[in-house]
Amino acid sequence: MPSGEIRYQPPSPPRTSSMDSCEDEGWVWAQIKAEARRDADAEPALASYVYSTILSHSSLARSISFHLGNKLCSSTLLSTLLYDLFLSFFSTEPSLRSATVADLRAARMRDPACTSFSHCLLNYKGFLACQAQRVAHKLWNQSRRPLALALQSRIADVFAIDIHPAAKIGKGVLFDHATGLVVGETAVIGNNVSILHHVTLGGTGKESGDRHPKIGDGVLIGAGATILGNIKIGEGAKIGAGSLVLKDVPPRTTAVGNPARLVGGKDQPAKHE
Amino acid sequence: MPSGEIRYQPPSPPRTSSMDSCEDEGWVWAQIKAEARRDADAEPALASYVYSTILSHSSLARSISFHLGNKLCSSTLLSTLLYDLFLSFFSTEPSLRSATVADLRAARMRDPACTSFSHCLLNYKGFLACQAQRVAHKLWNQSRRPLALALQSRIADVFAIDIHPAAKIGKGVLFDHATGLVVGETAVIGNNVSILHHVTLGGTGKESGDRHPKIGDGVLIGAGATILGNIKIGEGAKIGAGSLVLKDVPPRTTAVGNPARLVGGKDQPAKHE
Amino acid sequence: MPSGEIRYQPPSPPRTSSMDSCEDEGWVWAQIKAEARRDADAEPALASYVYSTILSHSSLARSISFHLGNKLCSSTLLSTLLYDLFLSFFSTEPSLRSATVADLRAARMRDPACTSFSHCLLNYKGFLACQAQRVAHKLWNQSRRPLALALQSRIADVFAIDIHPAAKIGKGVLFDHATGLVVGETAVIGNNVSILHHVTLGGTGKESGDRHPKIGDGVLIGAGATILGNIKIGEGAKIGAGSLVLKDVPPRTTAVGNPARLVGGKDQPAKHE
């Protein structure tokens, strides 16, 4: 199935309980620092950049808050304000940090072009937009909506990725390339989902209220796919590049074409509805 | 019909003659200031941002000129120069201001995710790109073409929206999400048109001169639609998400698919020419 | 064939040997300076911009290095560092400069909206992204991969164009509008290729290693086309707007649709393999 630049992996098994999420975060952060030191040594032109974004920070939470603050600031929305805002969430919400770590692992595992954790942390705008949206989502749920919407707007300007702060996003998510991704207000994205660039999870324009797609765990959505309406894309389904999907897709089933038709799957018939 | 995140509304009736466009502009600007005050009070982190972009300004023309200057400036194209440029047009051309007001109303009315006028003014890149393009269009018509093209380029860099300054755009237009919108030199967009993201109004590559689409009043164009050539999309027509349209579409008719086929409408047959 | 905003031209004949590439570069640079002087005289608002980007520089290599450094810099990746980096390549690699000149000529010849060389140099993000990617490609081949990847990321943020530094790009290339262009790691783009916006040269997700398309000389790829897998698009072929291409396309043949079908060509049958 065409999907653009990712290698499909079924949802990873849950990590063994012997490694709790703090240890996992510590291990990934140690990896990132080691990679950054290696890169700074090999490339003096990068040393200052790598130092300010990674090596000068005492934690992944601080590093990512600094990096997002710098990327998303403007002359009227200062980087210091954004840094404090991001850090206040990342330092106090372990669930945010474990989602970050799961996303870093997803990129390393499912994108053959992702060569290191630090490459993803520094350079993947889909990864960065996702981390910033999760903070905007927290703000939205605290009824700090104008600030949540201001963040959404900065993410849309800086990364060309437009995710409504009310949208719910799981863990272990890969937004690959990510330019042009649009995710509507009432969309839900499950765990271990991979979404390529130019994908729309939008409304049909005929409904209000709960009007956007619900994407199950482990789904893969190819480049340029457009999925509209309050429909379900079942667990482990695959949506082909350039597809237009307007109806539910059963679990572990592949849908392709404009309009999309089902083309079979492990457990499912090839009929759409 | 699939269209992405907008609620379709037929073209609004003309406003009653008892409210002239100056009064309307004053009313909308008063609303924006009231919304901004409420947001600044509720969210101290936004106070400085909201003050500098809205509350410190004495008019909508000044607020939007400041905001566009800040968004579109670069180290070689200074915000002060852009502010003076935008203000010189917005303060002297009532038609520009009434188009701005009509666009603000269109977003509030037709986009269920648009919660306030100030949300649109501050955050909607489709709205901001449209306002900047109207100024670039004035420059183009005054034969100040290098400056018009420099503005087009900044809009394309900052918002990922590429509208040629020669293109003609009506009032009450909603460019929703707007990432990836491309509008060619000889395209015309009517009044009360709604266009989603990733839409192309382009040429076929086989013509020169007048080579781009003409979009009638009240048309709705879904996400990812590609409309090519000097063709007419009739008043009130709807173009489905992901469609490829290479022929005229009659008024009040719906076209979907790649290549697009007509699927009926109130007054029109379902045949494509 | 639908293709978006470009006028198709077959690959230009090789330039006569009486004009070597140095002379050609000198002639184009002289044109650019003359255009810039004319624009600065006619539009005082642009004078400082045009002076800093073009007129103050003693060569095309310096002008483009300054312009790219300014466009791609960030608060942690300084413009002076990027300027020195770009200049070190453009000043010592004649092949980079002749590719730049060929790209400038391609835009002037094949894009009816391109009114001057300086317009392309200053304003075309597809052109600028391509020049920066060629430097990133050199870095990649020198095993300076973290810096190459940092450049890719800046190009993706600033221009919404995502080209892997390992991808090989020929000369005389036109990336028109260019927003949303995604080119994978093992893709190859020949000489005199024209590619519109929202085009993906990606992987199918089922392969690793050499997994991206190979685009022959003189190919034209319309807006929104998605080409996936290690397939060949033969010399002079045309790919219609919005097509999904998963199989080889023979030389001088046109492919359209989702999934794409062949629709004939000068020398070739209309059957897809």
Side-chain angles (χ1 to χ4, degrees):
Chain A
M1 192 218 40
S3 64
E5 170 65 62
I6 66 171
R7 185 188 296 150
Y8 181 71
Q9 298 277 359
S12 340
R15 304 189 56 76
T16 60
S17 59
S18 69
M19 183 187 274
D20 68 15
S21 69
C22 267
E23 281 178 41
D24 194 25
E25 184 191 332
W27 184 83
V28 167
W29 176 236
Q31 291 297 112
I32 288 171
K33 298 234 280 193
E35 294 164 2
R37 261 182 234 110
R38 184 198 61 201
D39 291 350
D41 288 348
E43 180 64 79
L46 274 183
S48 156
Y49 171 60
V50 161
Y51 185 80
S52 67
T53 50
I54 294 178
L55 294 174
S56 67
H57 300 285
S58 58
S59 67
L60 181 56
R62 287 181 183 274
S63 170
I64 201 163
S65 298
F66 174 86
H67 198 41
L68 289 176
N70 256 339
K71 289 263 191 186
L72 298 177
C73 69
S74 71
S75 63
T76 49
L77 210 54
L78 301 184
S79 63
T80 47
L81 182 146
L82 293 177
Y83 172 76
D84 290 344
L85 177 72
F86 285 121
L87 189 58
S88 70
F89 283 94
F90 280 111
S91 63
T92 59
E93 304 249 13
S95 68
L96 277 179
R97 297 201 303 275
S98 70
T100 301
V101 169
D103 296 350
L104 287 165
R105 287 188 173 282
R108 279 288 276 143
M109 219 168 147
R110 305 206 291 261
D111 178 1
C114 182
T115 56
S116 68
F117 292 118
S118 62
H119 173 32
C120 177
L121 173 65
L122 292 176
N123 296 328
Y124 273 35
K125 64 187 197 177
F127 169 79
L128 294 169
C130 183
Q131 310 315 307
Q133 193 276 348
R134 287 209 191 90
V135 170
H137 184 66
K138 297 274 182 189
L139 290 167
W140 184 264
N141 288 341
Q142 295 174 356
S143 296
R144 298 173 71 181
R145 296 187 174 185
L147 187 53
L149 293 168
L151 271 186
Q152 177 192 8
S153 170
R154 287 303 300 158
I155 298 165
D157 285 2
V158 171
F159 297 128
I161 296 168
D162 190 350
I163 309 176
H164 196 283
K168 289 178 191 141
I169 302 179
K171 293 178 171 198
V173 162
L174 171 62
F175 295 151
D176 200 7
H177 303 297
T179 299
L181 177 62
V182 172
V183 178
E185 181 175 359
T186 60
V188 178
I189 296 173
N191 297 319
N192 302 306
V193 168
S194 298
I195 298 182
L196 273 282
H197 50 288
H198 303 329
V199 164
T200 297
L201 307 181
T204 61
K206 287 183 292 196
E207 301 152 300
S208 53
D210 191 357
R211 61 199 185 280
H212 297 110
K214 312 298 178 260
I215 310 298
D217 291 349
V219 166
L220 170 64
I221 304 177
T226 303
I227 304 177
L228 301 180
N230 184 3
I231 61 177
K232 279 188 190 161
I233 309 299
E235 197 180 324
K238 301 184 192 182
I239 309 298
S243 301
L244 175 67
V245 182
L246 303 171
K247 295 178 186 173
D248 287 355
V249 173
R252 290 168 297 285
T253 305
T254 295
V256 300
N258 173 356
R261 63 191 193 286
L262 304 185
V263 291
K266 277 179 201 159
D267 317 336
Q268 296 293 334
K271 290 285 180 185
H272 213 145
E273 305 283 275
Chain B
M1 194 217 42
S3 63
E5 173 65 62
I6 66 171
R7 184 188 296 152
Y8 181 70
Q9 299 276 0
S12 338
R15 302 188 57 76
T16 59
S17 58
S18 68
M19 183 188 273
D20 69 14
S21 69
C22 267
E23 280 177 41
D24 194 25
E25 183 192 333
W27 184 83
V28 166
W29 176 235
Q31 291 297 112
I32 289 170
K33 297 235 281 192
E35 294 163 2
R37 260 181 235 113
R38 184 198 59 201
D39 291 349
D41 287 348
E43 179 66 79
L46 275 182
S48 156
Y49 171 59
V50 161
Y51 185 81
S52 67
T53 50
I54 294 179
L55 294 175
S56 68
H57 299 286
S58 57
S59 66
L60 181 56
R62 287 180 183 274
S63 171
I64 202 164
S65 297
F66 174 87
H67 198 42
L68 289 175
N70 256 340
K71 288 265 190 185
L72 298 176
C73 69
S74 72
S75 62
T76 49
L77 209 54
L78 301 185
S79 63
T80 47
L81 182 146
L82 292 178
Y83 172 76
D84 290 344
L85 177 71
F86 286 121
L87 189 58
S88 70
F89 284 94
F90 280 111
S91 63
T92 59
E93 305 250 13
S95 67
L96 277 179
R97 296 201 304 275
S98 69
T100 302
V101 169
D103 295 351
L104 286 165
R105 287 187 173 282
R108 279 288 275 144
M109 219 168 146
R110 304 205 292 259
D111 177 0
C114 182
T115 55
S116 67
F117 291 118
S118 61
H119 174 31
C120 177
L121 173 65
L122 291 176
N123 297 327
Y124 274 34
K125 65 188 197 176
F127 169 80
L128 294 168
C130 184
Q131 309 316 307
Q133 194 276 350
R134 287 210 190 92
V135 170
H137 184 66
K138 297 275 180 188
L139 291 167
W140 184 263
N141 287 340
Q142 294 174 356
S143 295
R144 298 173 70 180
R145 296 188 175 186
L147 186 54
L149 294 168
L151 271 187
Q152 177 192 9
S153 170
R154 287 304 299 158
I155 298 167
D157 285 3
V158 171
F159 298 127
I161 296 169
D162 191 348
I163 310 176
H164 196 284
K168 289 178 192 140
I169 301 179
K171 293 179 172 197
V173 163
L174 172 62
F175 294 152
D176 200 8
H177 303 297
T179 299
L181 177 63
V182 172
V183 178
E185 182 175 358
T186 60
V188 177
I189 296 173
N191 297 319
N192 302 307
V193 168
S194 297
I195 298 182
L196 273 281
H197 51 287
H198 302 329
V199 164
T200 297
L201 307 181
T204 61
K206 289 182 291 196
E207 302 153 298
S208 54
D210 191 357
R211 61 200 185 281
H212 297 109
K214 311 299 178 260
I215 309 299
D217 291 349
V219 166
L220 170 65
I221 305 177
T226 303
I227 304 177
L228 301 180
N230 185 2
I231 61 177
K232 279 187 190 162
I233 309 300
E235 195 180 326
K238 302 184 192 182
I239 309 298
S243 301
L244 176 67
V245 182
L246 304 170
K247 295 179 185 170
D248 287 355
V249 173
R252 289 168 297 286
T253 305
T254 296
V256 301
N258 174 354
R261 62 188 195 288
L262 303 185
V263 292
K266 279 183 199 155
D267 317 337
Q268 296 292 332
K271 291 285 180 186
H272 214 146
E273 304 288 272
Chain C
M1 192 218 41
S3 63
E5 173 63 64
I6 66 171
R7 185 187 294 153
Y8 181 71
Q9 299 274 1
S12 339
R15 304 189 55 77
T16 59
S17 59
S18 68
M19 183 189 275
D20 69 13
S21 68
C22 267
E23 281 177 42
D24 194 25
E25 183 191 332
W27 184 83
V28 166
W29 176 235
Q31 291 296 112
I32 288 171
K33 298 233 281 193
E35 294 163 0
R37 261 182 234 111
R38 183 199 60 199
D39 291 349
D41 289 348
E43 180 65 78
L46 275 182
S48 156
Y49 172 60
V50 161
Y51 185 81
S52 67
T53 49
I54 294 177
L55 294 174
S56 67
H57 300 286
S58 58
S59 67
L60 181 56
R62 286 180 184 274
S63 170
I64 201 163
S65 298
F66 174 87
H67 198 43
L68 288 176
N70 256 339
K71 288 262 191 188
L72 298 176
C73 69
S74 71
S75 62
T76 49
L77 211 53
L78 301 184
S79 63
T80 47
L81 182 147
L82 293 178
Y83 173 76
D84 290 346
L85 177 72
F86 286 121
L87 188 58
S88 71
F89 284 93
F90 280 111
S91 64
T92 58
E93 305 250 14
S95 67
L96 277 180
R97 296 200 304 274
S98 70
T100 302
V101 169
D103 296 350
L104 286 166
R105 287 188 174 282
R108 280 287 277 143
M109 219 170 145
R110 303 207 292 262
D111 178 1
C114 183
T115 56
S116 68
F117 291 118
S118 61
H119 173 32
C120 177
L121 173 66
L122 291 177
N123 296 328
Y124 273 34
K125 65 187 199 178
F127 168 79
L128 294 168
C130 184
Q131 310 315 306
Q133 194 275 350
R134 287 208 190 90
V135 170
H137 184 66
K138 297 275 180 187
L139 291 167
W140 185 264
N141 288 341
Q142 294 175 356
S143 296
R144 298 173 71 180
R145 296 188 175 187
L147 186 53
L149 294 169
L151 271 187
Q152 177 192 6
S153 170
R154 287 303 299 158
I155 297 166
D157 285 2
V158 171
F159 297 128
I161 296 169
D162 191 348
I163 310 176
H164 197 284
K168 289 178 191 143
I169 301 179
K171 292 178 173 199
V173 162
L174 171 63
F175 295 151
D176 200 7
H177 304 296
T179 299
L181 177 64
V182 172
V183 178
E185 182 175 359
T186 60
V188 177
I189 296 173
N191 297 319
N192 302 307
V193 168
S194 298
I195 298 182
L196 273 280
H197 51 288
H198 302 327
V199 164
T200 297
L201 306 180
T204 61
K206 288 182 292 195
E207 303 153 297
S208 53
D210 190 357
R211 62 198 185 281
H212 296 111
K214 312 297 178 258
I215 310 297
D217 292 348
V219 166
L220 171 65
I221 304 178
T226 303
I227 305 176
L228 300 180
N230 184 1
I231 60 177
K232 279 186 190 162
I233 309 299
E235 195 181 325
K238 301 184 192 182
I239 309 298
S243 301
L244 176 67
V245 182
L246 303 170
K247 296 178 185 171
D248 287 355
V249 173
R252 291 169 297 285
T253 305
T254 296
V256 300
N258 173 357
R261 63 191 194 284
L262 304 185
V263 292
K266 277 180 199 155
D267 317 335
Q268 296 292 333
K271 290 284 179 184
H272 212 148
E273 303 287 272

